[in-house]
């Protein structure tokens, strides 16, 4: 409780300071521009993110090729990350982030981690679908070179986003936003993993065959929604109920989510890969990209990944509370 009060006090002072920068800049004669936004190490990393995402989508749009759902996802990821990274740099440089009704520190680190995961996915998916054939002739080699170059730039952008997360995460013994702590960062990863699970479910997973698999879908949906709500409240800097022990409620939710994912990690493989309900081996008739068995395997793998993340989240949450107590 003491830590939460101090943290909210720090956030309140930051908001007041931001409001002063937004509304009283003329009276105090504070500089309108913030050179550190582009000249500091963090600013340089953010500029590198913009450049690499821009180069990747430009190369692919010029002659790389991006047909189909995988290509559309990669282009969307690069475009979204480029747009939001540019906005972050502009708001930091012009100090306009003080006018926003949100926790800027929580927003920037949440976006950086989300962007790192999206660009990492694009870095893996794009070469698998568009640059896997290294043999070429004539003009085909030019397209192949564009695709390889786009993949390299995407990898550099992913690394830049990871560096930003490392630079802005909470250090031991320091007070900062919740999203900069280990539990906050884990929740962003959990939400993204849930999105991967939903994508696999929608790709011919046949999750509606049994009530048990529908239960698993319900588990994924409820945990995803509550995780997004927790992230949204922290990014918005809002407390839903005054004097509500949010830290305890979040720990309780994490514990329940771990139990729910534990049930899904048992039920889903049984009703998908047991010989009574499904198949242990991949059917020979399955085609690439349109195979229910592949989608079910992806769901099973990432169910276990999210289970581990929720357990780690619960452990780290207890550790943070324990350290904060006198």
């Amino acid at each position: 409780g003491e830590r939460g009060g101090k943290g909210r006090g720090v956030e309140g002072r930051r908001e007041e300071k931001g409001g002063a920068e937004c509304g009283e800049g003329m009276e105090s004669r504070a500089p309108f521009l913030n050179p550190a936004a582009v000249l500091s190490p963090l600013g340089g990393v953010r500029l590198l993110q913009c450049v690499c995402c821009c180069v990747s989508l430009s190369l692919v749009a010029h002659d790389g090729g991006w047909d189909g759902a995988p290509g559309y996802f990669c282009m969307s990821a690069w475009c979204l990350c480029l747009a939001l990274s540019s906005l972050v740099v502009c708001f930091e440089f012009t100090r306009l982030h003080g006018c926003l009704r949100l926790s800027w520190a929580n927003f920037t680190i949440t976006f950086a981690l989300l962007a790192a995961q999206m660009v990492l996915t694009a870095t893996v998916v794009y070469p698998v679908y568009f640059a896997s054939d290294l043999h070429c002739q004539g003009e085909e080699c030019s397209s192949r070179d564009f695709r390889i170059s786009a993949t390299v730039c995407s990898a550099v952008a992913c690394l830049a986003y990871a560096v930003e997360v490392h630079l802005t995460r909470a250090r031991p013994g320091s007070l900062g936003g919740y999203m900069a702590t280990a539990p906050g960062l884990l929740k962003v990863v959990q939400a993204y993993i849930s999105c991967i699970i939903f994508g696999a479910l929608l790709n011919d997973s046949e999750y509606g065959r049994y009530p048990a698999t529908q239960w698993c879908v319900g588990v994924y949906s409820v945990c995803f929604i509550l995780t997004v709500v927790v992230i949204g409240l922290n990014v918005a800097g809002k407390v839903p109920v005054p004097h509500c022990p949010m830290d305890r409620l979040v720990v309780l939710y994490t514990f329940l989510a771990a139990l729910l994912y534990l049930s899904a990690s048992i039920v889903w493989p049984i009703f998908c890969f047991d010989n009574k309900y499904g198949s242990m081996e991949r059917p020979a008739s399955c085609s690439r990209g349109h195979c229910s068995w592949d989608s079910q395997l992806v769901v099973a793998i990432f169910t276990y990944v999210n289970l581990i993340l929720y357990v780690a989240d619960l452990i780290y949450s207890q550790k943070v509370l324990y350290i904060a107590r006198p």
Side-chain angles (χ1 to χ4, degrees), residues 20-34:
E21 290 179 355
C22 179
E24 301 176 3
M26 292 293 291
E27 297 179 4
S28 61
R29 295 184 180 179
F32 290 106
L33 302 181
N34 178 22

Side-chain angles (χ1 to χ4, degrees), residues 148-283:
I148 294 176
S149 300
T151 302
V152 172
C153 290
S154 181
V156 175
C158 177
L159 181 61
Y161 282 112
V163 170
E164 178 179 351
V165 174
H166 175 73
L167 292 175
T168 56
R169 67 184 177 87
R171 298 299 191 272
S174 63
L175 291 176
Y178 174 80
M179 298 308 300
T181 64
L185 295 175
L186 285 172
K187 284 179 174 56
V188 180
V189 181
Q190 294 161 7
Y192 188 77
I193 294 297
S194 297
C195 292
I196 296 177
I197 292 176
F198 291 139
L201 288 172
L202 294 175
N203 189 25
D204 301 327
S205 66
E206 299 180 355
Y207 63 85
R209 293 174 58 187
Y210 305 105
T213 53
Q214 295 178 21
W215 158 262
C216 295
V217 175
V219 168
Y220 304 142
S221 302
V222 170
C223 293
F224 171 74
I225 292 173
L226 292 179
T227 300
V228 171
V229 168
V230 172
I231 295 173
L233 288 175
N234 281 280
V235 170
K238 305 293 183 181
V239 178
V241 181
H243 309 294
C244 177
M246 280 298 296
D247 52 350
R248 297 185 181 183
L249 291 179
V250 170
V251 171
L252 177 61
Y253 149 68
T254 305
F255 175 69
L256 294 177
L259 292 181
L260 289 173
Y261 259 91
L262 178 61
S263 68
S265 67
I266 297 174
V267 171
W268 183 267
I270 291 177
F271 283 84
C272 290
F273 305 114
D274 187 83
N275 291 328
K276 182 179 179 180
Y277 305 101
S279 174
M280 284 289 294
E281 298 181 357
R282 187 178 189 273

